[in-house]
Amino acid sequence: MSTTKVAEYCYQCVAGPDLLNVCVEDGVATRVEPNWKFGDIHPAAGRVCVKAYGLIQKTYNPFRVKKPMVRTNPVKAQDADPQWKEVTWDEALDLIAQKLLAVKAKGVRDESGYPRLAVTFGSGGIAPAYTGALPAFLSTWGPVDFGIGSGQGVKCYHSEHLYGEFWHRAFTVQSDTPRTNYLISFGNNNDASGGVLGVWRHAQARERGLKRVQFEPHLSVTGAHAQWVPVKPKTDAAVMYALIHTILHEHDWRKECDVEFLRGMTNSPYLIAPNGLFLRDETSRKPLMWDEKENRARPFDEAFTPAMDGTYTTSGITIGADQELTNFENIQAATSFQKLIDHVRDYTPEWAEKISGAPAATIRQVAREFLENANVGATIEIEGKTYPYRPVAILLGKTVTNGWGGYEALWGRTMLAILVGALEVPGGTIGTTVRLNRPGHDRLASARPGPDGFMDQPLNPTDKENWVAKPKIRNAYQTLVPLANNSPWSAALGPAHLPWLFMKEPPENWPRPTTPEVW
Ligand code: SF4
């Protein structure tokens, strides 16, 4: 019997790729084992998780599809047997070619303007290498509807992706685990689902003293190695709001928060008009801040140290939707940070305890430890460059970011990181490598300043001139979802339930969402 070891990798989930060896005996794969040879370059040291060990069964599953299959549909009904029939590759390719040629002959778009060809992949994150020449073929075809079957508008946790893309330039976020000292998790079951690397990194971090606090209704594997704080399902945001309240109302934020970061990198000092919009200079139209030394409002980009909190009597304009201008004379304008302080005034730990069940004393303990561990003012040198060092992070589980309450939870997480400057710095909460923002090769290259001093966000336009009024594909993400931005992934992330909702009854003045002819 001849036995060989074939170096391979597993990419069954986004935590990969992870390296492994497949043992092959007489041409048959018999076993998966770690590939220790690459221990020093693979972040998980050549290990794979238990799921990868099942790849052998998956490969030789006797019920796997071995040849192309055609669904003959003698009776097309929900409970009817579709009667799949095996065909040869030639027959399958001829069938597809016939259909595609017929579409080409009629025109790649139908009379409503929608692509006649739709394509759905089994997984949004499928590695391009697995799809062979198909992407190249599709790119020569012309318009293809990628938005009809992905289903992500229905099931996916867009709040995580949205906040990830906005504030971390990444699809999902993680703790900088090798450098984090204090980790608050709301239902993030890393030790079960963090992939081999995630589990290993957390274990190493715990060994060197990382403290984890786990808010979740049930005691998970991760919670078992943490300070477990039971909470009622979907009340995570209430706990986070109370943490913010405690930091801003029960601690001295001037001493314990990262005021330098808040002042220089956020809208904290920007003045807010009574209508909720940024108050702007009438001539330059730039947002205003308050100069306490000169006792006057000044445009944000002038050289002075603006007030962080307080309410000031001043004048200016606001620019609303469709450039609508409003004048304000001698009004009371609060800073954004003052608005935040006021906003969380009622979210006391006692208020959160009633909602979540988490004891008020525990919320105060966590807020205190979070501030203590944030190390505000500390720096770290990495590869010759000095960065702020804020070793506190917050992770959210999928049930927390999914569905109702998701956006509030993400707001809470982002705000907590911002208060201590732990956003996108070593030790804090940072973006992962998957992203929609372009360019794809550099996560931070898309973080550019916009005209008002904020990070420029590539949203789909909503102004009259540039708004895409007529959808080009059935999920209409460019028409209806400005936050999606028009990137290569957007079609798969758009509200994919819309094609199904509108198939019979289109919205008024829309092209009828016809069904694709080849899907
Ligand atoms: S975490 Fe497990 S399933 Fe995911 S890529 Fe790595 S080995 Fe494969």
Side-chain angles (χ1 to χ4, degrees), residues 10-18 47-52 195-196:
C10 174
Y11 210 162
Q12 289 191 102
C13 76
V14 289
D18 288 314
R47 294 171 172 86
V48 282
C49 81
V50 288
K51 285 176 282 179
V196 57

Side-chain angles (χ1 to χ4, degrees), residues 27 35 141 159 350 493 511:
N35 188 344
W141 174 266
S159 49
E350 284 71 21
L493 288 169

Side-chain angles (χ1 to χ4, degrees), residues 208-456:
R208 64 162 173 76
L210 165 78
K211 172 160 184 186
R212 296 195 301 193
V213 182
Q214 188 84 2
F215 290 91
E216 61 189 4
H218 71 300
L219 179 60
S220 68
V221 178
T222 310
H225 295 105
Q227 177 187 347
W228 175 43
V229 187
V231 287
K232 292 178 194 154
K234 300 301 270 179
T235 62
D236 316 86
V239 176
M240 280 184 259
Y241 282 26
L243 288 170
I244 297 169
H245 166 97
T246 309
I247 290 170
L248 292 179
H249 288 276
E250 299 184 12
H251 286 257
D252 185 351
W253 60 262
R254 285 182 183 81
K255 285 197 186 126
E256 294 179 78
C257 290
D258 193 338
V259 176
E260 198 186 320
F261 176 85
L262 288 163
R263 190 180 268 129
M265 300 293 283
T266 76
N267 68 357
S268 299
Y270 282 57
L271 293 173
I272 304 294
N275 63 0
L277 299 176
F278 290 120
L279 190 69
R280 293 167 184 273
D281 180 73
E282 204 180 336
T283 317
S284 67
R285 300 198 169 184
K286 290 179 180 176
L288 294 166
M289 299 179 183
W290 189 256
D291 184 341
E292 281 178 305
K293 266 197 198 149
E294 297 194 7
N295 211 24
R296 66 179 175 106
R298 298 174 65 180
F300 76 96
D301 54 355
E302 291 185 5
F304 67 105
T305 305
M308 280 288 291
D309 58 329
T311 300
Y312 305 94
T313 308
T314 186
S315 304
I317 59 162
T318 60
I319 306 176
D322 294 327
Q323 301 297 307
E324 189 191 5
L325 295 181
T326 310
N327 273 294
F328 289 98
E329 293 290 332
N330 293 321
I331 40 112
Q332 292 291 300
T335 66
S336 300
F337 195 68
Q338 183 63 52
K339 288 273 184 194
L340 173 68
I341 292 171
D342 296 342
H343 182 70
V344 298
R345 193 176 303 280
D346 294 336
Y347 300 139
T348 61
E350 284 71 21
W351 166 84
E353 179 175 339
K354 274 193 206 128
I355 293 169
S356 67
T362 307
I363 294 173
R364 290 196 169 93
Q365 166 232 316
V366 173
R368 191 184 66 247
E369 290 176 352
F370 181 75
L371 287 171
E372 282 166 4
N373 281 281
N375 260 351
V376 171
T379 56
I380 188 170
E381 200 178 298
I382 300 171
E383 293 171 0
K385 226 177 141 188
T386 305
Y387 298 89
Y389 178 45
R390 303 285 179 276
V392 288
I394 301 168
L395 293 178
L396 307 180
K398 189 157 180 165
T399 48
V400 174
T401 58
N402 247 345
W404 58 267
Y407 280 88
E408 288 81 354
L410 263 298
W411 182 86
R413 175 182 79 185
T414 311
M415 191 54 73
L416 281 163
I418 285 171
L419 287 177
V420 293
L423 190 84
E424 284 299 314
V425 295
T429 312
I430 54 177
T432 57
T433 51
V434 181
R435 74 197 67 105
L436 302 187
N437 279 300
R438 289 295 180 260
H441 67 277
D442 182 352
R443 186 165 63 84
L444 302 180
S446 64
R448 294 178 297 263
D452 290 338
F454 304 126
M455 187 158 53
D456 199 26

Side-chain angles (χ1 to χ4, degrees), residues 7-175:
E8 265 296 349
Y9 65 92
C10 174
Y11 210 162
Q12 289 191 102
C13 76
V14 289
D18 288 314
L19 303 179
L20 53 89
N21 277 327
V22 181
C23 299
V24 181
E25 293 173 16
D26 287 339
V28 177
T30 54
R31 209 168 66 244
V32 161
E33 57 176 41
N35 188 344
W36 303 119
K37 240 206 238 160
F38 293 98
D40 51 345
I41 54 164
H42 175 218
R47 294 171 172 86
V48 282
C49 81
V50 288
K51 285 176 282 179
Y53 289 94
L55 284 169
I56 302 289
Q57 284 98 317
K58 199 171 170 181
T59 306
Y60 294 127
N61 177 351
F63 301 108
R64 71 192 187 278
V65 178
K66 295 179 199 152
K67 286 195 177 151
M69 307 272 281
V70 172
R71 198 169 65 176
T72 57
N73 278 344
V75 181
K76 199 168 179 182
Q78 222 169 23
D79 299 325
D81 180 355
Q83 297 205 11
W84 291 95
K85 193 180 99 189
E86 255 188 18
V87 293
T88 65
W89 276 105
D90 279 348
E91 285 171 315
L93 290 171
D94 282 349
L95 185 68
I96 294 169
Q98 256 171 32
K99 289 185 181 244
L100 290 179
L101 285 170
V103 163
K104 260 273 184 292
K106 278 196 265 184
V108 287
R109 286 190 189 276
D110 66 17
E111 55 288 348
S112 297
Y114 289 112
R116 289 187 206 268
L117 173 64
V119 174
T120 303
F121 291 102
S123 152
I126 202 161
Y130 292 178
T131 50
L134 187 59
F137 169 73
L138 292 174
S139 66
T140 62
W141 174 266
V144 177
D145 192 337
F146 286 103
I148 191 167
S150 311
Q152 307 213 24
V154 185
K155 66 143 181 81
C156 200
Y157 51 153
H158 276 176
S159 49
E160 169 80 2
H161 301 324
L162 190 79
Y163 273 83
E165 291 289 337
F166 268 6
W167 308 123
H168 300 270
R169 322 312 281 174
F171 206 51
T172 55
V173 304
Q174 258 302 337
S175 50

